Amino acid sequence: MFDVVRSIHNCPADLLSSHRHLTAKLECVEVSNLIVGRGHPVTLFLFSDCLELCKPRKKPLSSPSLKHVTRLSLLHVEQVLDLGDAQFGIICEHGPFALTTEGDKKAFLKELCANIATSLCRPDPESLLRVASVEELSLEAHSLTLSRRMKRYASRVVQRATSLHNTPGRLRRALSQLLTSPFRQHEGSPMGKSGEGQ
């Protein structure tokens, strides 16, 4: 557990709990466009009561190597879908998403359904897994809507970050005081020149 928490940037502090234990890990690539984007890698950490979803950090050599995306309570998983070949899907409160993996999909889905059944106090974990097709999830329309929302949100964030006018008042005042400070050294004067002539 400690190794998992240390490997995830911005990992929720309450992920580490005495009643929670890691049961499986799976490296995947998203087929839908709900978590990190179609074609992007996702790492799943399956715990006894939740599913932690992470993505690789942009700097591959940085530590920790993964970044927290979201944590999904197993109480909110409605259905687990076997989409054939290496693909599988999960229907949850946020919507349906699909993944593909080169790992042991069958063993992971079996463990996932068992953990969900335990969380829901159900005696029939096998009933949580259903064979389906990607088309049944209507992923294309759902992904398109989410993608547009994310693009609009990202555009606003970038505009705010690059505009001094939109900078919060407290930060503007601090920058103004810094630029007009009487202690600011003259242009071209190197650090330490104030001590010359003493």
Side-chain angles (χ1 to χ4, degrees), residues 172-193:
R172 283 206 305 272
R173 288 194 296 273
L175 287 171
S176 177
Q177 290 173 3
L178 178 64
L179 294 173
T180 59
S181 172
F183 298 102
R184 189 165 175 259
Q185 295 180 349
H186 296 292
E187 271 188 78
S189 60
M191 294 292 290
K193 287 288 187 180

Side-chain angles (χ1 to χ4, degrees), residues 35-50:
I35 308 168
V36 295
R38 187 181 293 107
H40 291 274
V42 182
T43 300
L44 305 182
F45 291 99
L46 176 61
F47 294 93
S48 50
D49 64 338
C50 67

Side-chain angles (χ1 to χ4, degrees), residues 59-121:
K59 297 179 180 179
L61 299 179
S62 59
S63 181
S65 58
L66 298 172
K67 184 176 181 179
H68 167 77
V69 176
T70 188
R71 185 175 63 187
L72 178 63
S73 170
L74 298 186
L75 294 173
H76 299 149
V77 176
E78 300 173 12
Q79 190 84 59
V80 179
L81 305 174
D82 185 344
L83 302 176
D85 297 326
Q87 297 182 354
F88 66 97
I90 296 175
I91 300 177
C92 63
E93 60 178 356
H94 303 298
F97 62 91
L99 304 163
T100 184
T101 181
E102 294 182 355
D104 192 341
K105 181 189 79 170
K106 185 176 180 180
F108 183 84
L109 295 186
K110 182 178 180 180
E111 190 70 33
L112 174 59
C113 290
N115 289 5
I116 295 172
T118 301
S119 298
L120 297 173
C121 299

Side-chain angles (χ1 to χ4, degrees), residues 159-177:
Q159 288 174 2
R160 182 179 177 85
T162 56
S163 173
L164 183 61
H165 177 73
N166 290 329
T167 304
R170 185 176 300 175
L171 180 56
R172 283 206 305 272
R173 288 194 296 273
L175 287 171
S176 177
Q177 290 173 3

